[in-house]
Amino acid sequence: MANEKELVPLTEPLVKSIYTADPSAHVFDGKIYIYPSHDIDAGIPEDDFGGHFGMEDYRVLSMNTPEDKEATLHDVALHVKDVPWAERQMWAPDAAYKNGTYYLYFPAKAKNGAFYIGVATSKNPAGPFKAQPEAIKGSFSIDPCSFVDDDGKAYLYFGGIWGGQLQRWQTGKFIEDVKSPYDLEPADDQPALCGKVARLTDDMLEFDEKPSDVVILDENGKPLRAGDHDRRYFEAPWMHKYNGKYYFSYSTGDTHNICYAIGDNPYGPFTYKGILLNPVIGWTNHHSVCEFKGKWYIFYHDSTLSGGRTHLRCVKVAEIKYRPDGTIEPVTAYK
Ligand code: FUB
């Protein structure tokens, strides 16, 4: 990225009193609710396992419109001490609504050092949420994204490589001993690791099927390769539907793009289409896409509020525009 000090941000942080990241935005009851990570400085040195992301709880934000100057910051929605199976690192969450109940999906590390995904419920979109006693059976890795299709079926997308541990689940069991977070990545000429998707049960609390790969194809119909760092899946999945098509967007991690791919159903495959959000200040890039009153918005984060510190981020919003062919004009977060 160009000299970060000279970049003028396109938009201001939605809250400045705490650090927030990984914003998952939804419209519930005519208002925008944002489910972010709540970044703190846990005093843990930075490494590629992501140990420095030592978050302990969630705080929900709400807005009347995306043009609001500031979001309302709600009280603690869920704390790790109230999640029986979790020990630390409450990473990027998401939320869903069904039949009068709000569901908060969240990843956290258990005592064995593995990430799993939990769910908590509330009658109020801002919480407080009550966690289920166990993680979702068959869940693993990070970054849950819930998607409720027009037919009422709900899906959970998830997964992240390196610190997100996806590469450590390739045998179906968690591989505990690894020297580095890159140890088990496929060779560059092999198909890239994929994000995962599973349909949720009617009660939204469990997987209704074994998670399957979210395959992203290149322009020739071939799965993206592991060496294709500019385009391959890394973490931060998001699903939205536009004009009957399914848009799967995600972060490319070490190349810092938010990219997107389009498919005909929730499972894919999805064909790679391009960059949705260019790299932002800070290492991570993470987003959600949300429609409000006929306009479309990307919620994202950068590290401007902390002067560039990787694990102390702030969430922001910008409008996005679709082209007539259904592709999206890429957003750059700086003027
Ligand atoms: O916030 C912790 C992790 O950083 C998230 O789970 C990733 O998507 C990245 O944003």
Side-chain angles (χ1 to χ4, degrees), residues 114-134:
F115 272 112
Y116 300 98
I117 295 171
V119 55
T121 58
S122 177
K123 291 290 172 199
N124 184 327
F129 287 84
K130 171 131 181 66
Q132 293 293 297
E134 305 283 345

Side-chain angles (χ1 to χ4, degrees), residues 201-221:
T201 48
D202 276 351
D203 66 7
M204 304 288 276
L205 298 176
E206 296 290 346
F207 291 160
D208 207 14
E209 60 188 0
K210 196 166 173 267
S212 57
D213 282 348
V214 178
V215 176
I216 303 167
L217 305 175
D218 67 13
E219 58 286 1
N220 300 312

